[in-house]
Amino acid sequence: MITHKLSVLVVEDHSIIAEGLSSILQGSEGLELRGVFSTAEAALLFLGSQPVDVLLLDISLPEMSGIEMCRTVKKQYKKTKIIALTNHTEKSVVQEMLESGADGYLLKNTSRQDLVAAISQVMNNQFIMQSEIQKLLFSPTPAGKALPRLTTREKEILQLVGQGATTSAIARQLFISPQTVETHRRNLMQKFEVNNSAALIKKATEKGLL
């Protein structure tokens, strides 16, 4: 049995949800809230000096996504358990988060009691997932709904497109030609089945990639 207080970090960019989580964690025996951050970058800086037991991680964050942060944390802080706490119910996003190393996947409509229980359970090496997410995960994937498989370069360009960078700016930053950028941009639009950059950004955000 775990007897010490479990340290918890929250990464959530919606203030009202962050405040609610803070209230739950601060009022729960056996848990110690170490901090609440609205960006993955700020949370990673904190973890560099103060690792925690459990990370409650949203997927849709302003810059680095929760999926990317999950991968980074699992590489650098192997003992930290990660529970995705999100509204995403798209099968491809759930799969991507689990493949990135998440130890649990909860929706934001989870009860206070279930959230607190989940934190203790993941520390006992139990995998946590709500029944509705389990059903989603094991249901057949409709054709064309899978998350596009992107190359490392495509991911870099997608992030920059999402930040509003122009073709020439992306070319300068990545030390490639504007023609190469446009080729990658066309490939991305083809993979996401869209016709312009605005639709590309919208669809990538929906899938938790931005």
Side-chain angles (χ1 to χ4, degrees):
M1 291 293 293
I2 297 169
T3 55
H4 70 281
K5 280 196 171 187
L6 296 176
S7 56
V8 184
L9 197 70
V10 173
V11 187
E12 167 59 62
D13 67 327
H14 288 91
S15 59
I16 193 166
I17 296 173
E19 288 168 14
L21 290 171
S22 297
S23 176
I24 289 172
L25 296 170
Q26 289 170 342
S28 299
E29 188 177 350
L31 300 181
E32 177 188 0
L33 178 62
R34 288 282 180 84
V36 180
F37 294 94
S38 60
T39 68
E41 292 84 352
L44 286 170
L45 280 175
F46 179 89
L47 286 172
S49 59
Q50 297 189 54
V52 298
D53 294 316
V54 180
L55 180 64
L56 297 182
L57 180 60
D58 191 11
I59 291 177
S60 295
L61 296 170
E63 294 180 24
M64 177 187 288
S65 72
I67 291 172
E68 290 178 275
M69 183 179 181
C70 185
R71 291 191 194 112
T72 301
V73 170
K74 283 299 179 180
K75 285 178 185 174
Q76 297 180 4
Y77 312 102
K78 298 185 186 301
K79 292 184 179 179
T80 297
K81 302 292 186 179
I82 297 177
I83 299 175
L85 189 60
T86 180
N87 284 325
H88 278 286
T89 56
E90 190 173 11
K91 184 175 180 178
S92 58
V93 175
V94 177
Q95 289 174 324
E96 185 93 350
M97 193 66 182
L98 300 184
E99 288 170 4
S100 297
D103 302 283
Y105 198 105
L106 297 176
L107 297 178
K108 288 178 180 177
N109 64 4
T110 191
S111 68
R112 174 190 183 124
Q113 181 179 354
D114 287 346
L115 176 62
V116 172
I119 292 171
S120 297
Q121 288 165 341
V122 295
M123 286 305 298
N124 286 319
N125 297 315
Q126 297 178 45
F127 181 78
I128 303 302
M129 186 184 294
Q130 282 163 289
S131 59
E132 60 191 287
I133 296 296
Q134 290 180 26
K135 291 174 185 174
L136 172 76
L137 201 58
F138 295 109
S139 65
T141 302
K145 294 294 184 183
L147 197 69
R149 293 292 177 184
L150 306 180
T151 66
T152 301
R153 180 64 86 194
E154 286 172 345
K155 289 177 182 177
E156 290 174 340
I157 289 175
L158 180 60
Q159 292 298 317
L160 292 169
V161 169
Q163 293 165 21
T166 63
T167 294
S168 57
I170 295 172
R172 285 194 301 272
Q173 184 166 338
L174 299 180
F175 303 103
I176 57 179
S177 72
Q179 291 80 6
T180 300
V181 174
E182 282 302 309
T183 298
H184 285 303
R185 193 193 291 263
R186 283 195 298 272
N187 289 341
L188 283 166
M189 288 192 289
Q190 184 177 6
K191 287 184 177 183
F192 281 91
E193 299 178 348
V194 296
N195 297 317
N196 56 57
S197 294
L200 173 64
I201 293 168
K202 181 177 184 293
K203 203 158 188 180
T205 301
E206 289 170 354
K207 290 181 177 295
L209 296 175
L210 287 175

